[in-house]
């Protein structure tokens, strides 16, 4: 199907799905969850083709791990669908209402955005997450996954179509772009009269390419240069666990810690054991001059390391004089994604929360928690690092906008 025809088909279907009843949307989602379980052998077989191709292509192990569909991923996809089903349908919600002096009642009602074009890399379960959120929020979705997950995405999309048919919903509300030619994508990005929003999920190169070519508004999710600041009053045992989880639990994700900041008053006591635990998990360490003197055998960090999103078992460490220097470092080198403090001082925790303006700021918790599922949003469409329309994990509400509504009794303008 040509790009303009695909986009027109989606736009035409947008009116229908915008007014589809919650029960019918949930029926499709529940059917999809059941199909994923019933046909997991088929999904794993198709996924195996992608894994084998990725290995032959020499993709990094961390990227291959993100590509994999196993029993754990199957259960996670089903759980994310159940969570979306259990969430309230935002469409038609009156979020605010007030009365004017002339008696006119003015309110705001949530409505779908319309047609959303989602472009993503690696993780094939994004196909399910993006579809689930768009369906429940009353949006049409155009999906373009990475070529490295081609077989997996086709298989998952076939289940999406089957679930829609079971629920009596037009399959025109969801489309999979199964074309490798970039010019096809660039053509879609010019069709602002049919597509309302583009959401790219992937590396910085993908995001910048989409922004460069799109005439459609783009909800940006730039790189995750995430920090953990271990304050002078931190509980060491907690800090060890938080930092290890933030870096090593899944290093190829955008919410993994890339730089560890440590208050200088505790650095000599804290860093040797922390470095030992990180190295035991296979993490390569780089550090500032103070860190290099405290922890032997690590490479000096270069200036560009402080703004690097490694997406791997690599970590930069910096000893800071105080909280002010820690916050200044985050403002200078961070990406407004996720930042955390480990501290037992209530007032200092609140200072960090107020002064660090990232999409999620945490106290005594891992940066890995910046995720729609973990924050109770169900699945997420991505983590927006810009402040227009949405900031942070994008759940159902973030895939709607509000329109003004008014109830009158014959009021006129004078």
């Amino acid at each position: 199907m040509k790009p303009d025809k695909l986009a027109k088909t989606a736009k035409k279907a947008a009116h229908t799905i915008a007014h589809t009843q919650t029960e019918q949307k949930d029926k499709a989602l529940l059917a999809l969850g059941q199909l994923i379980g019933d046909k997991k052998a088929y999904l794993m077989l198709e996924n195996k083709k992608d894994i084998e191709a990725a290995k032959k292509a020499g993709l990094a192990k961390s990227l291959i791990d993100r590509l994999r569909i196993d029993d754990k991923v199957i259960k996670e996809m089903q759980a994310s669908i159940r969570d979306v089903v259990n969430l309230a349908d935002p469409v038609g919600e009156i979020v605010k209402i007030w009365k004017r002096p002339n008696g006119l009642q003015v309110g705001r009602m949530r409505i779908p955005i319309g047609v959303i074009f989602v472009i993503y890399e690696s993780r094939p379960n994004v196909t399910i997450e993006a579809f689930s959120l768009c369906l429940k929020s009353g949006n049409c979705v155009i999906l373009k996954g990475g070529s490295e997950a081609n077989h997996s995405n086709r298989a998952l999309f076939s289940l999406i179509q089957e679930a829609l048919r079971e629920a009596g919903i037009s399959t025109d509300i969801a489309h999979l772009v199964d074309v490798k030619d970039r010019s096809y994508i660039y053509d879609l990005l010019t069709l602002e009269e049919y597509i309302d929003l583009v959401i790219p999920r992937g590396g910085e190169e993908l995001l910048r390419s989409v922004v460069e070519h799109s005439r459609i508004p783009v909800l940006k999710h730039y790189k995750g240069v995430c920090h953990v600041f271990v304050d002078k009053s931190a509980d060491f045992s907690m800090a060890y666990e938080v930092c290890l989880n933030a870096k090593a639990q899944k290093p190829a994700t955008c919410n993994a810690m890339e730089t560890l900041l440590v208050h200088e008053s505790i650095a000599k006591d804290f860093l040797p054991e922390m470095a030992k635990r990180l190295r035991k998990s296979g993490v390569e360490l780089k550090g500032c001059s103070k860190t290099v003197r405290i922890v032997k055998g690590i490479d000096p960090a270069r200036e560009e390391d402080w703004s690097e999103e490694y997406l791997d078992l690599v970590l930069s460490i910096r000893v800071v004089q105080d909280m002010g220097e820690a916050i200044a470092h985050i403002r200078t080198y961070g990406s407004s994604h996720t930042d955390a403090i480990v501290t037992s001082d209530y007032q200092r925790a609140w200072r960090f929360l107020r002064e660090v303006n990232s999409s999620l700021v945490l106290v005594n918790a891992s940066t890995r928690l910046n995720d729609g599922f973990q924050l109770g949003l169900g699945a997420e469409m991505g983590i927006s690092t810009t402040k227009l329309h949405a900031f942070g994990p994008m759940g159902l509400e973030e895939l709607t906008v509000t329109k003004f509504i008014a109830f009158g009794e014959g009021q006129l303008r004078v």
Side-chain angles (χ1 to χ4, degrees), residues 80 83-84 87 129-130 132-133 372-373 377-381 394-396:
S80 72
D83 277 356
V84 173
L87 290 170
E129 294 171 359
S132 300
L133 286 168
F373 185 73
L377 305 180
E380 69 173 35
M381 188 61 81
M394 294 184 60
L396 286 178

Side-chain angles (χ1 to χ4, degrees), residues 122-189:
S122 289
R123 293 195 305 126
N125 45 326
V126 174
T127 300
I128 298 301
E129 294 171 359
F131 167 75
S132 300
L133 286 168
C134 284
L135 175 64
K136 187 68 179 263
S137 58
N139 292 289
C140 283
V141 64
I142 300 171
L143 301 162
K144 176 62 180 83
S147 58
E148 67 278 7
N150 210 28
H151 293 93
S152 305
N153 288 331
R154 285 179 189 166
L156 288 166
F157 189 71
S158 71
L159 302 189
I160 287 172
Q161 291 179 308
E162 189 174 341
L164 288 171
R165 285 191 289 266
E166 282 189 26
I169 299 174
S170 171
T171 56
D172 286 345
I173 70 148
H175 301 265
L176 179 70
V177 177
D178 192 11
V179 178
K180 293 183 179 180
D181 186 359
R182 285 193 178 184
S183 64
Y184 189 97
I185 310 303
Y186 295 155
D187 286 345
L188 281 172
L189 290 172

Side-chain angles (χ1 to χ4, degrees), residues 78-94:
Q78 291 178 306
S80 72
I81 290 170
R82 286 194 299 271
D83 277 356
V84 173
V85 169
N86 291 331
L87 290 170
D89 189 337
V91 180
E93 178 190 1
I94 308 299

Side-chain angles (χ1 to χ4, degrees), residues 154-298:
R154 285 179 189 166
L156 288 166
F157 189 71
S158 71
L159 302 189
I160 287 172
Q161 291 179 308
E162 189 174 341
L164 288 171
R165 285 191 289 266
E166 282 189 26
I169 299 174
S170 171
T171 56
D172 286 345
I173 70 148
H175 301 265
L176 179 70
V177 177
D178 192 11
V179 178
K180 293 183 179 180
D181 186 359
R182 285 193 178 184
S183 64
Y184 189 97
I185 310 303
Y186 295 155
D187 286 345
L188 281 172
L189 290 172
T190 66
L191 300 174
E192 73 268 33
E193 66 268 41
Y194 305 119
I195 300 172
D196 299 286
L197 181 67
V198 180
I199 302 178
R201 292 186 59 172
E204 189 173 2
E205 182 181 347
L206 168 69
L207 271 62
R208 295 199 182 280
S209 176
V210 169
V211 171
E212 180 183 343
H213 290 90
S214 184
R215 293 182 190 168
I216 305 162
V218 178
L219 207 149
K220 304 177 190 70
H221 169 168
Y222 281 130
K223 62 184 180 180
V225 182
C226 306
H227 303 79
V228 176
F229 171 45
V230 181
D231 195 19
K232 61 183 180 182
S233 65
D235 176 283
F236 279 18
S237 60
M238 178 192 292
Y240 293 144
E241 294 298 322
V242 167
C243 293
L244 191 62
N245 180 266
K247 178 68 258 183
Q249 194 255 354
K250 209 164 187 179
T253 56
C254 60
N255 55 16
M257 172 178 64
E258 303 293 18
T259 297
L260 170 61
L261 304 172
V262 181
H263 196 289
E264 67 175 3
S265 67
I266 62 166
K268 289 182 180 179
D269 296 321
F270 175 76
L271 276 176
E273 176 62 22
M274 185 74 259
K276 179 181 176 182
R277 296 189 185 204
L278 288 164
R279 282 169 164 164
K280 188 176 180 181
S281 294
V283 180
E284 176 191 340
L285 304 177
K286 303 180 180 184
C288 67
S289 58
K290 292 179 181 177
T291 304
V292 170
R293 288 196 294 270
I294 295 169
V295 181
K296 304 303 179 186
I298 70 173

